[in-house]
Amino acid sequence: MASAAEQLAANLNFGALAKAEELKKRIWFTLGALLVYRLGTYIPMPGINPDALADVFRTAQQGIIGLFNMFSGGAVSRMAIFALNIMPYISASIIIQLLTTVSPTLEALKKEGESGRKMINQYTRYLTVVLAVFQSYGIAVGLEGSGAVVSDPGWFFRISTVITLTGGTMFLMWLGEQITSRGIGNGISLIIFAGIVAELPSAVANTLELGRQGAISTGLIIAVILMAIAVIMFIVFVERAQRRLLIQYPKRQVGNKVYEGQSSHLPLKLNSSGVIPPIFASSLLLIPTTVASFTQGQGPAWLTTVTTLIGHGQPLFMLLYVLLIVFFCFFYTAIVFNPTETADNLKKHGGFIPGIRPGERTAEYIDYVLTRITVIGAAYLAIVCLFPEILISYAAVPFYFGGTSLLIVVSVTMDTVAQVQGHLLAHQYEGLVKKAKLRGKRR
């Protein structure tokens, strides 16, 4: 069976897409849902002065607001109904994941299978609503204190802002779940992906315009393009890389049948933490800059000093960025992968790593290997995220895609293509089964 699957995968032809009706429906549904999302990023909230908002955003876009604007596809700069995007849901998911490691109740739910997963998803939705309400209220208060952005400030504006932005986030959460179940790919990831990619054409056009005006040399633009291609290839190589631990299953007898011993692999990804470390590191480092932009120079002197020291391109910013990425890489990997639980599951099913005793010694060995490959994964994330930062800061290149954006775009693309290939593979299997049945009837 495995050799047949490998043969089909090797000979996979995307020309079969024309015959895979179910897959085509899923792709069209996904594209339609993403189109609805993009339309929502252009519907403005009521009571906002767009000219005043553009002036305020121009001074604040270097902070965390600029990061969120990139993820939301420009919805923050237009203060659209999807300005919060899906970020409260992502924050809620991470918080729930953290709580499962310290809360016995959530940990027990996690082990209950499908029913436990549904309960955890429900708790994540409730927490998403709470976070969205707090964040939208903070945005409403911040907009009221930003000059003439709000035409009629007061409680009516605050309440309407909270309802609008929270409703937008809940709609996107529902839309992402619909894409996951009825479309192709992970819906939440695709929404962020669509937001980042949607702003790419204008960013490329602005860069080429600066080159035409002579502000950026042609050689530098070519170097940026080559750098982007090299970084994408590097990301694809590392994201597909795995450290496979050999697992042996002994010979066993079930009734009168004797099953031969089997072997399989426990795959450990080099980058188990995904894109979470760069997002967390960027968010933390951009908080002082965001606060300083809202105070408009009226803040304390120490805030100005801190903002200057950790500004983009500063040595302290680069150092803290790398340290935070490494810290969150180890921290998040420790949360999402439990060596003790994995070792216990192997022991229950009779599996063992050759030369390692089952149980505690296996957990220690898996933890040892995981720590070593996480060092490589953390170094990879630091290089991918730091190199574009250096280019943007010291070469004065207004390059839209930083390391975090490239990581998200490439990872989501790889995941979606893998799912498309899986559907095509299943379609080809169905075709083979039908042909085999027809041949059997003829005989």
Side-chain angles (χ1 to χ4, degrees):
M1 181 68 75
S3 60
E6 290 171 4
Q7 186 177 1
L8 268 178
N11 299 324
L12 202 59
N13 181 13
F14 277 88
L17 181 64
K19 300 177 182 178
E21 294 297 329
E22 175 66 19
L23 179 58
K24 284 197 291 184
K25 289 178 182 177
R26 285 179 172 272
I27 291 174
W28 280 115
F29 180 84
T30 303
L31 292 175
L34 294 178
L35 179 62
V36 171
Y37 158 65
R38 286 303 301 160
L39 289 174
T41 60
Y42 286 91
I43 302 175
M45 284 195 326
I48 298 292
N49 184 342
D51 296 328
L53 176 66
D55 293 336
V56 171
F57 183 78
R58 203 172 292 116
T59 60
Q61 63 181 342
Q62 295 301 320
I64 196 170
I65 294 175
L67 182 70
F68 286 163
N69 186 57
M70 177 187 69
F71 289 150
S72 66
V76 175
S77 62
R78 295 184 285 270
M79 202 45 66
I81 59 174
F82 291 161
L84 281 182
N85 202 261
I86 206 70
M87 300 309 289
Y89 178 76
I90 294 173
S91 302
S93 301
I94 293 169
I95 291 171
I96 293 294
Q97 279 187 336
L98 291 172
L99 289 177
T100 53
T101 61
V102 295
S103 170
T105 306
L106 289 176
E107 190 174 1
L109 278 176
K110 186 180 178 182
K111 294 178 180 178
E112 285 182 8
E114 185 65 21
S115 60
R117 188 182 64 83
K118 286 182 179 179
M119 284 299 298
I120 290 176
N121 286 344
Q122 198 64 22
Y123 291 150
T124 305
R125 294 188 188 102
Y126 293 148
L127 186 57
T128 301
V129 175
V130 174
L131 292 178
V133 168
F134 275 105
Q135 290 180 17
S136 54
Y137 182 78
I139 288 175
V141 174
L143 289 173
E144 285 184 345
S146 301
V149 175
V150 181
S151 56
D152 188 18
W155 276 106
F156 179 78
F157 171 76
R158 295 179 188 179
I159 293 172
S160 65
T161 300
V162 168
I163 293 173
T164 302
L165 293 183
T166 304
T169 296
M170 299 311 295
F171 176 78
L172 286 182
M173 183 179 69
W174 174 83
L175 191 67
E177 291 175 352
Q178 294 301 308
I179 292 173
T180 302
S181 61
R182 300 172 59 186
I184 196 81
N186 182 288
I188 304 299
S189 300
L190 281 171
I191 286 174
I192 299 176
F193 169 86
I196 295 173
V197 172
E199 297 293 303
L200 179 61
S202 60
V204 171
N206 291 337
T207 305
L208 294 177
E209 179 63 21
L210 289 172
R212 190 184 67 81
Q213 295 173 359
I216 301 177
S217 65
T218 305
L220 189 57
I221 293 177
I222 295 173
V224 168
I225 295 172
L226 293 176
M227 182 275 297
I229 295 172
V231 169
I232 289 171
M233 292 174 64
F234 182 51
I235 291 172
V236 171
F237 175 76
V238 177
E239 289 295 329
R240 291 174 64 90
Q242 294 177 344
R243 170 73 162 87
R244 294 185 175 185
L245 299 180
L246 180 64
I247 306 295
Q248 291 281 1
Y249 291 93
K251 184 187 294 184
R252 57 197 176 95
Q253 183 172 351
V254 180
N256 294 326
K257 291 186 177 180
V258 177
Y259 293 91
E260 291 293 327
Q262 296 178 340
S263 64
S264 64
H265 292 91
L266 175 65
L268 300 176
K269 287 188 65 177
L270 252 63
N271 178 30
S272 303
S273 56
V275 298
I276 297 299
I279 292 176
F280 270 28
S282 302
S283 301
L284 285 177
L285 286 174
L286 290 174
I287 286 174
T289 308
T290 306
V291 174
S293 66
F294 275 116
T295 57
Q296 298 178 349
Q298 305 295 321
W302 64 265
L303 181 60
T304 306
T305 306
V306 169
T307 305
T308 305
L309 288 174
I310 61 172
H312 271 290
Q314 297 299 321
L316 184 60
F317 174 86
M318 301 290 188
L319 177 63
L320 290 176
Y321 194 34
V322 171
L323 291 177
L324 285 172
I325 286 175
V326 172
F327 169 75
F328 282 121
C329 198
F330 279 93
F331 181 71
Y332 197 71
T333 300
I335 291 171
V336 298
F337 191 94
N338 189 338
T340 304
E341 186 179 334
T342 305
D344 289 341
N345 289 334
L346 285 175
K347 189 176 181 180
K348 286 177 185 177
H349 293 90
F352 64 93
I353 299 174
I356 308 293
R357 290 181 61 185
E360 187 177 344
R361 290 290 300 163
T362 299
E364 290 176 0
Y365 179 73
I366 293 174
D367 184 57
Y368 169 73
V369 174
L370 189 64
T371 302
R372 293 180 69 184
I373 64 174
T374 303
V375 171
I376 301 173
Y380 144 74
L381 285 178
I383 292 170
V384 167
C385 294
L386 201 61
F387 192 65
E389 285 288 338
I390 294 172
L391 193 66
I392 292 167
S393 302
Y394 292 100
V397 178
F399 193 54
Y400 181 71
F401 269 7
T404 308
S405 307
L406 280 174
L407 274 170
I408 293 173
V409 169
V410 175
S411 300
V412 174
T413 302
M414 288 173 60
D415 178 58
T416 306
V417 169
Q419 288 203 28
V420 170
Q421 288 181 331
H423 280 282
L424 286 175
L425 192 62
H427 177 72
Q428 286 184 321
Y429 262 129
E430 289 174 5
L432 287 175
V433 170
K434 288 179 181 178
K435 287 180 181 178
K437 287 181 178 179
L438 285 173
R439 289 173 184 171
K441 288 180 180 178
R442 287 172 183 172
R443 289 177 184 176

